[in-house]
Amino acid sequence: MTTSGIEEVVLKSIKPSREEYEHVLGVYRVIADAINTVLREHGVEAEVTLQGSIAHDTWLSGDRDMDVFVLYPESWSIEELKSKGFKLVVEAAEKLGRYELRYAEHPYVRVRISDVEADIVPAFNISDPTHIRTAVDRTPFHTRYIRERLTDEMRDQVRLLKKFMKGIGVYGAEVKTKGFSGYAVEVLIARYNSMRRVLEEASKWSPPVYIDSISVDESFWKGFRKKYPDSVIYMPDPVDPMRNVTANVSVKSLAIFSLASRCYLMNPSLVFYGLEYEGPSIDDVKKKLADRCIVLVEYMLEERLPPDVVWGELNRVRDTMVKLLENFDFHVIDSSSWTDEDRYCAILLELDSCSLPVYKHYKGPSVKHWERSHSFISKHLGRGIGVWVDEKGSLNALSLRKYINVKQILEEGSRGYSVAPHFRDIKPSVKALSEEVITELSGRGALRWISEFILKTPIWMVKCIS
Amino acid sequence: MTTSGIEEVVLKSIKPSREEYEHVLGVYRVIADAINTVLREHGVEAEVTLQGSIAHDTWLSGDRDMDVFVLYPESWSIEELKSKGFKLVVEAAEKLGRYELRYAEHPYVRVRISDVEADIVPAFNISDPTHIRTAVDRTPFHTRYIRERLTDEMRDQVRLLKKFMKGIGVYGAEVKTKGFSGYAVEVLIARYNSMRRVLEEASKWSPPVYIDSISVDESFWKGFRKKYPDSVIYMPDPVDPMRNVTANVSVKSLAIFSLASRCYLMNPSLVFYGLEYEGPSIDDVKKKLADRCIVLVEYMLEERLPPDVVWGELNRVRDTMVKLLENFDFHVIDSSSWTDEDRYCAILLELDSCSLPVYKHYKGPSVKHWERSHSFISKHLGRGIGVWVDEKGSLNALSLRKYINVKQILEEGSRGYSVAPHFRDIKPSVKALSEEVITELSGRGALRWISEFILKTPIWMVKCIS
């Protein structure tokens, strides 16, 4: 299969069909009608618009996430928007059927109609994108930019790049993924025209990466970098240049994208897109458990929270946990967090070994340094075995460790690592990962997460060397 | 107890009594008479002399090692000395009873009369000590020097210092101990007059140490050091200045002596002399075995060899063994060799842990270095778990180890570490140290060695901090 052949095959499977378009746009009309009816009933002048990848025509077949924005007059106050504007949206949602109230920075409503999940978001109808009042106000400008900037061919290239990023796990700007947003993919294609050009560039990336999406001069980057000191890739938003479209991309996502790009260019294959690969069975995964120390720490939150909040706090808890274990000489090989985005949260840790020797070997100073020797002897004598002098004339001791078992530290030390607000008062449960625990987690929808943690090798990695 | 009080108590227990002197000198007369009779029968002119610590009057009560030298004419050839001279000595020994033939650089005879062990050594009667022909020819000059140089008080100080060094395990220049010879102790007292002055100096030593026993000028040391590049302490022999009396002192012995000196001066006690301390019972020792990984490697040599040869080869085997284990990621905390100086040889190793995780965690390059990433992936993919990209954008792998068990390496790898001539073709036996093995070793006379290895803390160490 030639490269362009592969891309054609992928495109065929991800490009929505005419029927799918009609179905999705039909759903949009139902929603828009409902909202317009409510607006009319209340005598409110507002514009109902379709936004996001469906409006950009860069969506993938089967991805039925729709963004519907209700744009209220710029003359309204934020309070009016959040109370009156939001209430009108809720009223429309009630007419449409089941709905959920959601809050990010901003309140909105999620409805489900047939197999389409639609977010209905109140926003302002702003004239200048640099004067936005809430983050969502920027969205209509993105839609306008993308629709004007991308050709049909480029929209297909966006689809390919999105699918590629999904396949390697770097698609999505949420805290969960810390990867590239759909808009970031669109801007990348706007800048480089084709997926292949983007991959060629990405394969050479070394953070910090600067992508000049808007033709800025050198002096621009200094201030931009100052505004986003933690970013590893900088790409100005064409509709609001001081905003970094790739602000949340992690070093890891960047590295994976860069490596996978290089490997794909060398050895293009459907596996990069997550196609033509079944995924391991639960039994294959269980077989790889032998001779390893993998520990699961589980929390049951007291309330449901916005996903970005949960993922963020969970990652903080995990980082602290890893540091704690390393302070006690445990070698943490890998760690990962997961939540069902309801109340269940879990952390997986892989260690070299689940237990450490009872005694720890301390290397002391040379006896020629008397002050240091004296304090070493004072500290260690009677705490285990030694002190003694070795062949090099230095002091040594074997002292008893406080903790020799990872489960014990994680159970007794939970107050020391449950450092995020919603985790602080919850006692986690600590388990060694076993076949039973895998079955249990699989029931919670975490099988893919555990599989990836246990197998560790991304399926496309083999293409980096063949 | 005041310090001088302690030293008086020690001296009382180590200074030979009048009866012991008479007994020992009586034995000497018996030996001298037997040799003189043989010499007369063969018409050979030679001088029978008493040498060593008994001749110096610096011996310790109970130490019944006697050196009898038969000094043949300087006009003889070395061949004559080694054949005729040696034969005459053997003939005398036959008359005295049971004897053993010994060879170091030089052949000699060991006889045992009552509780005295006497070495009868053929040597040349040399006029100038810098013109000696075999190493033993220097001995009569040492005797003359010490007898002329030391006062009675200084001889007692020699006894105290010898006993102190014995107590802390640094007395003896043989390969077994790599410490200070009796003559080195005598020269130290000749230089500093008292044990306390020697300890005061030693407590400040930092290798390389220079002891000017003969008033040399600065320029002397450069050539001296060149002649003994591996020494850590330099003390010219007053009767042959280009010879280093302390050539064989190891860093470890020097460090122990220096530390113990400091601790003694701070907190004098009989324990430094090995007095007033029973030693641990075999049960106390066994109790300290729990939760440790101590392995015993045993060799049974095919022939009996000079002790310095066995100790030397055994130490080489041990050093190689430690390096091998460390190459396979085992952490060797301590190691020690022992031989009964007959055919049995043993090495003890203490490790952090007797086994390692099945998988070894390899940290690879950042993916931004493509060439290195490619070779890391090529090397590790399929060898275990991974390769994967971590939070820092670097590659990682868990690859299967070749050896995870110390016993397995030591058994399968014995050709790799049995690197000394007399060990090369012997298959060692490898055992975990258990209570049974301790009992077994104790039967071979190795209890003190094992006890020290298991307990590790020298009994005097506590005096360094109280």
Side-chain angles (χ1 to χ4, degrees), chain B residues 425-441:
Chain B
D425 300 317
I426 304 172
K427 183 95 192 150
S429 111
V430 181
K431 297 171 183 168
L433 201 61
S434 62
E435 299 201 1
E436 296 67 49
V437 175
I438 292 179
T439 309
E440 202 180 298
L441 275 168

PDB file of all heavy atoms in Angstrom, chain B residues 425-441:
ATOM      1  N   ASP B 425      40.682 -23.970  38.623  1.00  0.00           N
ATOM      2  CA  ASP B 425      40.022 -25.214  38.209  1.00  0.00           C
ATOM      3  C   ASP B 425      39.132 -25.822  39.275  1.00  0.00           C
ATOM      4  O   ASP B 425      38.703 -26.969  39.167  1.00  0.00           O
ATOM      5  CB  ASP B 425      41.079 -26.220  37.764  1.00  0.00           C
ATOM      6  CG  ASP B 425      41.878 -25.665  36.591  1.00  0.00           C
ATOM      7  OD1 ASP B 425      41.247 -25.076  35.694  1.00  0.00           O
ATOM      8  OD2 ASP B 425      43.114 -25.774  36.600  1.00  0.00           O
ATOM      9  N   ILE B 426      38.863 -25.047  40.317  1.00  0.00           N
ATOM     10  CA  ILE B 426      38.046 -25.601  41.396  1.00  0.00           C
ATOM     11  C   ILE B 426      36.637 -25.033  41.322  1.00  0.00           C
ATOM     12  O   ILE B 426      36.458 -23.823  41.180  1.00  0.00           O
ATOM     13  CB  ILE B 426      38.668 -25.264  42.761  1.00  0.00           C
ATOM     14  CG1 ILE B 426      40.106 -25.793  42.778  1.00  0.00           C
ATOM     15  CG2 ILE B 426      37.842 -25.857  43.890  1.00  0.00           C
ATOM     16  CD1 ILE B 426      40.882 -25.348  43.981  1.00  0.00           C
ATOM     17  N   LYS B 427      35.677 -25.914  41.392  1.00  0.00           N
ATOM     18  CA  LYS B 427      34.277 -25.470  41.376  1.00  0.00           C
ATOM     19  C   LYS B 427      33.908 -25.120  42.811  1.00  0.00           C
ATOM     20  O   LYS B 427      33.926 -25.979  43.698  1.00  0.00           O
ATOM     21  CB  LYS B 427      33.415 -26.630  40.858  1.00  0.00           C
ATOM     22  CG  LYS B 427      31.953 -26.310  40.704  1.00  0.00           C
ATOM     23  CD  LYS B 427      31.592 -25.892  39.282  1.00  0.00           C
ATOM     24  CE  LYS B 427      30.180 -25.292  39.254  1.00  0.00           C
ATOM     25  NZ  LYS B 427      30.021 -24.288  38.222  1.00  0.00           N
ATOM     26  N   PRO B 428      33.583 -23.869  43.086  1.00  0.00           N
ATOM     27  CA  PRO B 428      33.232 -23.523  44.466  1.00  0.00           C
ATOM     28  C   PRO B 428      31.817 -23.975  44.820  1.00  0.00           C
ATOM     29  O   PRO B 428      31.000 -24.212  43.934  1.00  0.00           O
ATOM     30  CB  PRO B 428      33.314 -22.005  44.464  1.00  0.00           C
ATOM     31  CG  PRO B 428      33.010 -21.609  43.065  1.00  0.00           C
ATOM     32  CD  PRO B 428      33.510 -22.713  42.181  1.00  0.00           C
ATOM     33  N   SER B 429      31.568 -24.091  46.094  1.00  0.00           N
ATOM     34  CA  SER B 429      30.185 -24.352  46.508  1.00  0.00           C
ATOM     35  C   SER B 429      29.595 -23.035  47.035  1.00  0.00           C
ATOM     36  O   SER B 429      30.282 -22.252  47.687  1.00  0.00           O
ATOM     37  CB  SER B 429      30.156 -25.476  47.548  1.00  0.00           C
ATOM     38  OG  SER B 429      29.802 -24.990  48.808  1.00  0.00           O
ATOM     39  N   VAL B 430      28.362 -22.775  46.674  1.00  0.00           N
ATOM     40  CA  VAL B 430      27.716 -21.503  47.015  1.00  0.00           C
ATOM     41  C   VAL B 430      26.533 -21.778  47.939  1.00  0.00           C
ATOM     42  O   VAL B 430      25.671 -22.588  47.614  1.00  0.00           O
ATOM     43  CB  VAL B 430      27.217 -20.793  45.728  1.00  0.00           C
ATOM     44  CG1 VAL B 430      26.564 -19.459  46.063  1.00  0.00           C
ATOM     45  CG2 VAL B 430      28.356 -20.601  44.734  1.00  0.00           C
ATOM     46  N   LYS B 431      26.519 -21.125  49.089  1.00  0.00           N
ATOM     47  CA  LYS B 431      25.439 -21.360  50.058  1.00  0.00           C
ATOM     48  C   LYS B 431      24.931 -20.042  50.637  1.00  0.00           C
ATOM     49  O   LYS B 431      25.723 -19.127  50.866  1.00  0.00           O
ATOM     50  CB  LYS B 431      25.972 -22.148  51.266  1.00  0.00           C
ATOM     51  CG  LYS B 431      26.481 -23.524  50.984  1.00  0.00           C
ATOM     52  CD  LYS B 431      27.165 -24.069  52.246  1.00  0.00           C
ATOM     53  CE  LYS B 431      27.750 -25.443  51.943  1.00  0.00           C
ATOM     54  NZ  LYS B 431      28.655 -25.889  53.016  1.00  0.00           N
ATOM     55  N   ALA B 432      23.656 -20.004  50.929  1.00  0.00           N
ATOM     56  CA  ALA B 432      23.152 -18.882  51.719  1.00  0.00           C
ATOM     57  C   ALA B 432      23.593 -19.124  53.158  1.00  0.00           C
ATOM     58  O   ALA B 432      23.582 -20.268  53.630  1.00  0.00           O
ATOM     59  CB  ALA B 432      21.641 -18.823  51.636  1.00  0.00           C
ATOM     60  N   LEU B 433      24.011 -18.076  53.846  1.00  0.00           N
ATOM     61  CA  LEU B 433      24.449 -18.258  55.231  1.00  0.00           C
ATOM     62  C   LEU B 433      23.219 -18.517  56.107  1.00  0.00           C
ATOM     63  O   LEU B 433      22.307 -17.708  56.167  1.00  0.00           O
ATOM     64  CB  LEU B 433      25.201 -17.017  55.716  1.00  0.00           C
ATOM     65  CG  LEU B 433      26.116 -17.262  56.919  1.00  0.00           C
ATOM     66  CD1 LEU B 433      27.190 -18.268  56.581  1.00  0.00           C
ATOM     67  CD2 LEU B 433      26.749 -15.972  57.384  1.00  0.00           C
ATOM     68  N   SER B 434      23.239 -19.694  56.756  1.00  0.00           N
ATOM     69  CA  SER B 434      22.117 -20.062  57.618  1.00  0.00           C
ATOM     70  C   SER B 434      22.698 -20.462  58.971  1.00  0.00           C
ATOM     71  O   SER B 434      23.914 -20.539  59.131  1.00  0.00           O
ATOM     72  CB  SER B 434      21.395 -21.261  57.007  1.00  0.00           C
ATOM     73  OG  SER B 434      22.286 -22.357  56.951  1.00  0.00           O
ATOM     74  N   GLU B 435      21.841 -20.744  59.920  1.00  0.00           N
ATOM     75  CA  GLU B 435      22.332 -21.157  61.236  1.00  0.00           C
ATOM     76  C   GLU B 435      23.182 -22.419  61.126  1.00  0.00           C
ATOM     77  O   GLU B 435      24.224 -22.541  61.776  1.00  0.00           O
ATOM     78  CB  GLU B 435      21.156 -21.383  62.192  1.00  0.00           C
ATOM     79  CG  GLU B 435      20.346 -20.113  62.392  1.00  0.00           C
ATOM     80  CD  GLU B 435      19.515 -20.131  63.667  1.00  0.00           C
ATOM     81  OE1 GLU B 435      19.583 -21.134  64.403  1.00  0.00           O
ATOM     82  OE2 GLU B 435      18.817 -19.135  63.923  1.00  0.00           O
ATOM     83  N   GLU B 436      22.745 -23.341  60.272  1.00  0.00           N
ATOM     84  CA  GLU B 436      23.488 -24.609  60.111  1.00  0.00           C
ATOM     85  C   GLU B 436      24.879 -24.322  59.535  1.00  0.00           C
ATOM     86  O   GLU B 436      25.869 -24.898  59.967  1.00  0.00           O
ATOM     87  CB  GLU B 436      22.765 -25.570  59.149  1.00  0.00           C
ATOM     88  CG  GLU B 436      21.403 -26.054  59.618  1.00  0.00           C
ATOM     89  CD  GLU B 436      20.361 -24.939  59.673  1.00  0.00           C
ATOM     90  OE1 GLU B 436      20.233 -24.178  58.678  1.00  0.00           O
ATOM     91  OE2 GLU B 436      19.687 -24.789  60.711  1.00  0.00           O
ATOM     92  N   VAL B 437      24.911 -23.445  58.539  1.00  0.00           N
ATOM     93  CA  VAL B 437      26.198 -23.151  57.910  1.00  0.00           C
ATOM     94  C   VAL B 437      27.131 -22.481  58.916  1.00  0.00           C
ATOM     95  O   VAL B 437      28.339 -22.740  58.936  1.00  0.00           O
ATOM     96  CB  VAL B 437      25.991 -22.285  56.645  1.00  0.00           C
ATOM     97  CG1 VAL B 437      27.324 -21.866  56.052  1.00  0.00           C
ATOM     98  CG2 VAL B 437      25.184 -23.052  55.603  1.00  0.00           C
ATOM     99  N   ILE B 438      26.583 -21.650  59.778  1.00  0.00           N
ATOM    100  CA  ILE B 438      27.418 -21.002  60.800  1.00  0.00           C
ATOM    101  C   ILE B 438      28.017 -22.047  61.732  1.00  0.00           C
ATOM    102  O   ILE B 438      29.215 -22.015  62.046  1.00  0.00           O
ATOM    103  CB  ILE B 438      26.603 -19.960  61.602  1.00  0.00           C
ATOM    104  CG1 ILE B 438      26.236 -18.788  60.686  1.00  0.00           C
ATOM    105  CG2 ILE B 438      27.390 -19.464  62.809  1.00  0.00           C
ATOM    106  CD1 ILE B 438      25.413 -17.709  61.353  1.00  0.00           C
ATOM    107  N   THR B 439      27.203 -23.006  62.147  1.00  0.00           N
ATOM    108  CA  THR B 439      27.692 -24.069  63.031  1.00  0.00           C
ATOM    109  C   THR B 439      28.824 -24.834  62.347  1.00  0.00           C
ATOM    110  O   THR B 439      29.875 -25.096  62.937  1.00  0.00           O
ATOM    111  CB  THR B 439      26.540 -25.037  63.372  1.00  0.00           C
ATOM    112  OG1 THR B 439      25.430 -24.268  63.828  1.00  0.00           O
ATOM    113  CG2 THR B 439      26.954 -26.031  64.436  1.00  0.00           C
ATOM    114  N   GLU B 440      28.600 -25.133  61.072  1.00  0.00           N
ATOM    115  CA  GLU B 440      29.578 -25.855  60.269  1.00  0.00           C
ATOM    116  C   GLU B 440      30.911 -25.083  60.182  1.00  0.00           C
ATOM    117  O   GLU B 440      31.985 -25.634  60.414  1.00  0.00           O
ATOM    118  CB  GLU B 440      28.958 -25.954  58.871  1.00  0.00           C
ATOM    119  CG  GLU B 440      29.434 -27.031  57.952  1.00  0.00           C
ATOM    120  CD  GLU B 440      28.647 -26.885  56.636  1.00  0.00           C
ATOM    121  OE1 GLU B 440      27.401 -27.024  56.660  1.00  0.00           O
ATOM    122  OE2 GLU B 440      29.269 -26.578  55.595  1.00  0.00           O
ATOM    123  N   LEU B 441      30.804 -23.784  59.867  1.00  0.00           N
ATOM    124  CA  LEU B 441      31.999 -22.943  59.737  1.00  0.00           C
ATOM    125  C   LEU B 441      32.713 -22.788  61.065  1.00  0.00           C
ATOM    126  O   LEU B 441      33.939 -22.729  61.128  1.00  0.00           O
ATOM    127  CB  LEU B 441      31.604 -21.556  59.234  1.00  0.00           C
ATOM    128  CG  LEU B 441      31.470 -21.396  57.731  1.00  0.00           C
ATOM    129  CD1 LEU B 441      30.794 -20.074  57.415  1.00  0.00           C
ATOM    130  CD2 LEU B 441      32.850 -21.431  57.080  1.00  0.00           C
TER     131      LEU B 441
END
